[in-house]
Amino acid sequence: MTPLWWAAAVLVAPAAPAEAPPLSPTLAPWHGNWAGEGQAFGKPATATLDIAPGAAGVTRLTYRLHVAGSAPMTYSAEATYAFDAKRRLRGQWTDSSGRTRAVIGGVNAAKWWTHWGSADVEIGRSTYGLEADGTLVISDSVLQEDGSWRVFAMLRYRRTKP
């Protein structure tokens, strides 16, 4: 027979310390003004990117791309991003051609990624990687019929203003 004092000791034993809740995800490390160079659509390209906090935890992004060549191209877009209750990044991207795309993604210590588009038009992904020296590398890809991803733009950015 187990003594009654043992049962009482179990009932009043201190509880294990609760784990700290995980930190809320944030895009704050990417906030600032950026200027980049690289390739887009197989041609030399330059771009600017402004990423800033907005109201109620939203991050706002403004993007301007200039692609060199015999028929130079200019493209621009504005986007908003916020984290949902399940810590997923959700947003909307509207570009200068008049298209609006829903965006879903995530973030870890040095990388932010999004998937965008729809199967009836195109599905794409963008990754925003911060390198140790402060360089921001953005890669944009589109899903191919065989399931592979084709990179159509990759630029390296330096912060021009925090």
Side-chain angles (χ1 to χ4, degrees), residues 23-146:
L23 296 175
S24 296
T26 179
L27 296 178
W30 290 268
H31 290 176
N33 300 85
W34 302 83
E37 296 181 344
Q39 296 276 320
F41 308 104
K43 298 178 181 174
T46 58
T48 60
L49 185 63
D50 299 324
I51 306 171
V58 170
T59 293
R60 300 187 63 75
L61 177 146
T62 302
Y63 177 65
R64 305 281 183 260
L65 173 71
H66 179 75
V67 181
S70 57
M73 181 187 92
T74 301
Y75 172 87
S76 61
E78 292 188 2
T80 55
Y81 302 97
F83 289 94
D84 67 16
K86 294 185 178 181
R87 303 169 54 88
R88 294 174 297 207
L89 184 64
R90 294 191 178 270
Q92 184 171 299
W93 177 278
T94 302
D95 69 20
S96 54
S97 69
R99 286 188 285 188
T100 297
R101 294 177 177 94
V103 176
I104 187 165
V107 64
N108 66 23
K111 192 176 198 179
W112 155 27
W113 63 93
T114 61
H115 287 126
W116 43 265
S118 61
D120 61 328
V121 179
E122 67 183 354
I123 296 174
R125 71 177 177 195
S126 299
T127 59
Y128 301 73
L130 286 173
E131 296 184 339
D133 69 354
T135 300
L136 171 58
V137 179
I138 301 178
S139 175
D140 297 302
S141 306
V142 66
L143 183 63
Q144 301 297 288
E145 287 185 21
D146 66 2

